[in-house]
Amino acid sequence: HRLDALLVQRLAPWFCGRCKLIVTIHDLTPIKFKDVYKGISNHLVRLLTKNTIMRADLILTPTNAIKAEIAAYAPKLKAPIRAFYNGVDIEKFKKNAVINTQTAPPYLLTVGAIERRKNLETIIDALALLKETDLHLYILGGIRDQAYFAQIQQQILALNLTNRVHYLGFLDEEALISRYQHAQIFITSSKDEGFNIPPLEAMACNVPVICSDIVVHRELFDGAAMFYATESAQDLSEKIEQLRQDVTLRKKLCQEGREKTQFFNWSQTASNVAYALREVL
């Protein structure tokens, strides 16, 4: 078709003609965690990603952290790598939002696909360590790993938390925003991310955020969230206690979160991508 450019996600066809090849790579998770990401599709990703990268004229990544990972993964790469950053629809998520110093009943919220790298077991263990027995946890997101979901269910049962942990699945937009707005604290516990949109959505809803201390989270949310040692339920439980008891800290994080969301919007994302495309076209 005499294309000027072919833009692909991670893997490109073997033959692309004379057009420029532009590759978006969200993360290298299947490559970094081979024991967790099994199956033919992940095997093909590991087999073919480097070949696609080395043929690319431009590589787009959602963060500088992933940009650095790709540079280390393919040190002979000649193509430029540009971080574009994702966004959040601020107006949609902040509509009717209020600062929640108290909620009844109070609950923690986490949103994302149900898979091992999301590290939900640490949140559940932290909930069991908390002194308050009236605090609940809501988990939202589609199930990508049925075995992991079954493992979490067994953990909840063993810790006698069946009445306090609630899995709601994948919600529509209106129900999702409502859950954000009435949460006392939002927690993201991932061991690895390329970006992470739900914390931004929580910030847009005036909800204070606690993040696992990984490189991507520091790049995106430093100064607007609390951080805990990623696999330490004890550290997370202490951060939750601190944030629940300190109303001043909660209000400060809500304010910093709202300010942080101003840097991430889809118009700017589109502009960043367009600027990168102009470099190679």
Side-chain angles (χ1 to χ4, degrees):
H1 296 284
R2 298 182 179 180
L3 302 176
D4 295 304
L6 178 65
L7 175 60
V8 300
Q9 292 278 355
R10 196 186 292 274
L11 302 180
W14 288 111
F15 301 103
C16 299
R18 297 181 178 180
C19 67
K20 298 289 186 180
L21 177 59
I22 299 162
V23 183
T24 300
I25 298 181
H26 183 267
D27 58 58
L28 294 179
T29 300
I31 295 169
K32 294 191 293 182
F33 302 100
K34 295 180 182 179
D35 294 339
V36 175
Y37 290 85
K38 302 176 182 179
I40 185 64
S41 61
N42 287 310
H43 176 71
L44 288 173
V45 165
R46 288 189 287 272
L47 185 66
L48 301 175
T49 294
K50 183 167 285 188
N51 174 273
T52 296
I53 287 175
M54 297 308 295
R55 291 189 290 129
D57 296 286
L58 170 68
I59 295 172
L60 299 172
T61 67
T63 54
N64 281 310
I66 303 305
K67 175 180 176 179
E69 287 188 4
I70 292 173
Y73 172 66
K76 295 183 179 180
L77 177 68
K78 295 181 180 180
I81 310 174
R82 299 289 179 260
F84 57 84
Y85 293 104
N86 287 311
V88 61
D89 190 337
I90 299 170
E91 294 303 318
K92 182 184 298 180
F93 280 88
K94 77 178 184 180
K95 183 180 179 182
N96 299 322
V98 295
I99 295 176
N100 294 304
T101 56
Q102 291 291 331
T103 58
Y107 66 87
L108 310 173
L109 177 65
T110 188
V111 177
I114 310 301
E115 57 181 320
R116 292 185 187 278
R117 70 182 172 94
K118 296 298 185 177
N119 191 30
L120 297 175
E121 61 269 27
T122 297
I123 305 179
I124 294 166
D125 281 337
L127 183 68
L129 292 173
L130 293 171
K131 298 175 182 178
E132 300 91 337
T133 58
D134 65 332
L135 186 63
H136 292 238
L137 169 65
Y138 284 89
I139 301 172
L140 278 60
I143 300 171
R144 288 186 184 171
D145 186 334
Q146 288 288 349
Y148 178 61
F149 184 62
Q151 173 189 316
I152 287 173
Q153 289 177 310
Q154 288 298 317
Q155 179 189 7
I156 293 168
L157 185 63
L159 293 172
N160 196 29
L161 292 173
T162 52
N163 293 328
R164 295 173 59 198
V165 179
H166 314 277
Y167 172 65
L168 301 184
F170 192 90
L171 301 185
D172 63 33
E173 191 172 86
E174 185 177 350
L176 173 63
I177 293 174
S178 177
R179 283 292 171 184
Y180 274 127
Q181 291 178 346
H182 293 93
Q184 193 170 74
I185 299 170
F186 180 88
I187 302 173
T188 182
S189 54
S190 302
K191 296 179 182 180
D192 189 69
E193 289 285 353
F195 195 83
N196 201 348
I197 291 178
L200 285 176
E201 294 175 341
M203 289 176 183
C205 291
N206 287 322
V207 178
V209 172
I210 301 177
C211 293
S212 52
D213 199 350
I214 60 175
V215 175
V216 167
H217 286 166
R218 284 288 183 179
E219 178 181 346
L220 297 173
F221 310 126
D222 204 16
M226 295 181 74
F227 295 87
Y228 77 95
T230 303
E231 297 188 62
S232 174
Q234 182 64 45
D235 189 28
L236 177 56
S237 68
E238 290 172 2
K239 293 295 193 306
I240 294 170
E241 291 272 16
Q242 179 185 0
L243 195 49
R244 292 195 76 206
Q245 294 173 11
D246 191 336
V247 175
T248 300
L249 177 60
R250 285 175 58 78
K251 290 182 177 180
K252 179 175 179 290
L253 283 182
C254 287
Q255 176 64 33
E256 291 171 343
R258 290 196 304 276
E259 293 173 358
K260 178 66 72 172
T261 60
Q262 302 299 319
F263 294 96
F264 300 97
N265 64 79
W266 293 115
S267 293
Q268 185 60 52
T269 298
S271 295
N272 292 343
V273 173
Y275 183 84
L277 293 177
R278 283 194 293 269
E279 286 188 89
V280 297
L281 295 178

